[in-house]
Amino acid sequence: SLHGLAALGQGAVLANGARDLLAELRLEGVGDGVTARMPVALAVVLDHSGSMEGEKMVQAREGVISLLERMHDEDYLSVVVYDDRAEILQPLARVSEIRRSLPPRLRRVDARGGTVIPQAMALGASALELAPASHVRRVVLVSDGQDGSGLSLEQIQGTLEHRADDRVVTSSLGVGTDYDERFMTGVAEAGRGNYAFLRQGSELEGFLTRELEESGATVAENVVARVSLPPGVHFVEAHGTLANALSDRVELPVGTVFAGEHRKVVLSLRLDAGAVGDASTITARVGYERASDHAPQSLEGAVAVRFVASEAEAIASIDDEIHPDAFATVMDARQRDAMLAWQNGDRAQAVTLAEANRAAYEEANRRRPSRVFAERSTQIADDLGNFERVEAQSARGQSWGRARRADILEDAYAY
């Protein structure tokens, strides 16, 4: 069901000192011939608070109705709506039983009130408990992320991680002019699902359709990578999932993978490099359940980094595919921080962060030239121009900012 690759950005580092190292784990969902479609159980959690008033509410309702039309008779669907309270509009039911009755009730949903997101997602997850064991289960949150529950994002993420461990994936779609990007991306990351934001209301239909298609093509569930770190190799951070770092290893929950999907996780490591000629070996094991029958499967591999006498040898060992991709993934996260600072009105901080990011790309390109580094440096130069010229809360600023952040996010998990 899965193909995998574990690779280092470079095969050697300068001996006798603290060195930085990037590693990348790549996973590809594989089907045998024509992959049989998995039956799906979806819970759509739909915000109908005041921020959804008007055309967005109309398009959201029609998007769910269009999703219903695309689902197979054997699939299951539940719809939860929420403002300052959450309620089940449609209990989990076979699609064949609600094709005619659900659309009229959806079209009567209007916008009002505040938001209690965790309670609404809990109702959606509870509805899926009634789904047959053979069905792939997924919660899809449609919201502006303005949560009034009083819970911290970290508390909410902990709950979502437990649900993901129990094969319930959570995806999120950000809507509204003032949606909370940190909250919505945090939900999807902890829930091991997809994240996007709504540039225009008509895109909701495409997002829900993708959720349905991916769920039906699932080949692996509960995918978790465990990377063992030998003495002297230290975990710094991960991109592409929420990491659980232990003393001698790091656990990287990936969630589900569908046929044809390419997922990646990038690790930043710090090495205490030893004497010239020595090496450190890093091992990786990916465990998962085959979606078709929940049978446990695994992939294993190992990579080694050598300690060399000169920086020239270390540079010569750089992998020209893995290193630029991993480095750009790390830097994209930092540029997202710059974008968020600008969005929140701190232009000076945004400029400081972006200039540091551009300098890092220029230094990386000097050390080992790459088209990726040159392109990213040019993009950041464009960002700096917009930070200076465009007001974040203007119509132009909101349009550009959303499109730019979407471009950054597209590269965060796929290769």
Side-chain angles (χ1 to χ4, degrees):
S1 301
L2 287 182
H3 285 169
L5 169 72
L8 300 177
Q10 57 195 84
V13 297
L14 188 62
N16 301 313
R19 310 295 177 219
D20 294 324
L21 182 67
L22 294 173
E24 192 163 293
L25 176 70
R26 295 182 173 187
L27 297 172
E28 178 186 0
V30 180
D32 295 326
V34 178
T35 303
R37 180 186 185 273
M38 295 292 296
V40 175
L42 287 181
V44 177
V45 179
L46 182 62
D47 181 354
H48 72 133
S49 63
S51 64
M52 293 289 289
E53 189 174 8
E55 187 63 20
K56 280 193 177 68
M57 193 71 250
V58 173
Q59 291 172 328
R61 293 192 302 250
E62 295 304 314
V64 178
I65 292 169
S66 178
L67 169 72
L68 178 65
E69 293 172 351
R70 285 177 165 80
M71 296 183 77
H72 292 214
D73 283 348
E74 70 272 16
D75 292 338
Y76 282 73
L77 178 66
S78 175
V79 179
V80 175
V81 295
Y82 71 95
D83 47 16
D84 50 12
R85 64 188 183 92
E87 58 181 317
I88 296 178
L89 177 71
Q90 173 59 60
L92 191 71
R94 284 177 63 94
V95 167
S96 59
E97 298 171 356
I98 58 174
R99 283 197 192 277
R100 296 174 63 87
S101 62
L102 180 57
R105 285 183 289 130
L106 273 168
R107 290 189 172 110
R108 290 195 292 270
V109 175
D110 57 4
R112 64 192 187 204
T115 53
V116 285
I117 297 174
Q119 292 91 326
M121 289 192 294
L123 279 181
S126 296
L128 293 180
E129 291 176 359
L130 301 176
S134 58
H135 284 50
V136 174
R137 297 177 293 168
R138 185 171 296 209
V139 174
V140 182
L141 172 66
V142 182
S143 173
D144 61 8
Q146 303 294 331
D147 178 41
S149 70
L151 296 176
S152 69
L153 176 57
E154 289 71 23
Q155 289 174 304
I156 295 169
Q157 286 182 310
T159 300
L160 294 173
E161 285 187 279
H162 286 304
R163 289 180 190 151
D165 289 340
D166 197 31
R167 298 175 43 240
V168 177
V169 172
T170 303
S171 293
S172 66
L173 177 65
V175 297
T177 58
D178 58 348
Y179 75 99
D180 188 330
E181 182 173 334
R182 177 176 175 269
F183 183 94
M184 295 299 284
T185 55
V187 164
E189 194 165 51
R192 302 169 202 165
N194 297 313
Y195 167 75
F197 70 84
L198 199 66
R199 304 186 202 194
Q200 51 188 351
S202 59
E203 291 181 344
L204 174 59
E205 180 179 336
F207 182 81
L208 293 175
T209 298
R210 185 179 73 172
E211 291 296 294
L212 175 63
E213 292 174 348
E214 289 185 6
S215 298
T218 298
V219 293
E221 294 184 297
N222 200 21
V223 181
V224 180
R226 293 175 174 86
V227 179
S228 297
L229 304 178
V233 179
H234 311 286
F235 170 75
V236 178
E237 62 181 350
H239 299 271
T241 186
L242 295 177
N244 178 26
L246 303 172
S247 60
D248 60 348
R249 67 186 186 280
V250 57
E251 297 183 349
L252 306 161
V254 175
T256 64
V257 178
F258 62 88
E261 182 179 16
H262 292 78
R263 291 286 298 274
K264 75 178 179 187
V265 177
V266 172
L267 294 179
S268 292
L269 304 172
R270 176 64 58 86
L271 275 65
D272 302 325
V276 174
D278 290 346
S280 285
T281 299
I282 300 167
T283 60
R285 183 181 186 276
V286 179
Y288 64 97
E289 297 175 10
R290 194 164 53 204
S292 58
D293 58 7
H294 306 308
Q297 307 288 318
S298 67
L299 303 170
E300 295 187 29
V303 288
V305 56
R306 297 174 291 110
F307 307 142
V308 295
S310 70
E311 181 65 11
E313 290 177 88
I315 292 173
S317 76
I318 288 175
D319 185 302
D320 286 328
E321 178 186 355
I322 297 295
H323 180 72
D325 184 74
F327 187 86
T329 299
V330 173
M331 296 306 300
D332 279 350
R334 296 180 186 175
Q335 189 62 13
R336 236 178 91 200
D337 291 340
M339 293 291 301
L340 289 173
W342 172 78
Q343 179 188 358
N344 293 331
D346 193 343
R347 181 174 288 170
Q349 177 70 357
V351 169
T352 297
L353 292 173
E355 286 180 341
N357 295 341
R358 183 170 62 170
Y361 273 123
E362 290 174 350
E363 171 59 22
N365 201 47
R366 181 199 62 77
R367 187 167 182 256
R368 178 87 165 203
S370 166
R371 175 182 54 81
V372 173
F373 298 154
E375 290 177 350
R376 289 294 207 282
S377 182
T378 299
Q379 287 174 339
I380 292 177
D382 291 341
D383 291 346
L384 283 164
N386 280 302
F387 291 165
E388 295 287 355
R389 295 189 302 269
V390 181
E391 290 295 331
Q393 299 309 314
S394 67
R396 179 186 172 193
Q398 290 181 3
S399 176
W400 172 75
R402 286 187 171 201
R404 180 71 177 101
R405 291 195 300 275
D407 289 341
I408 293 173
L409 281 167
E410 281 181 4
D411 296 326
Y413 301 108
Y415 65 90

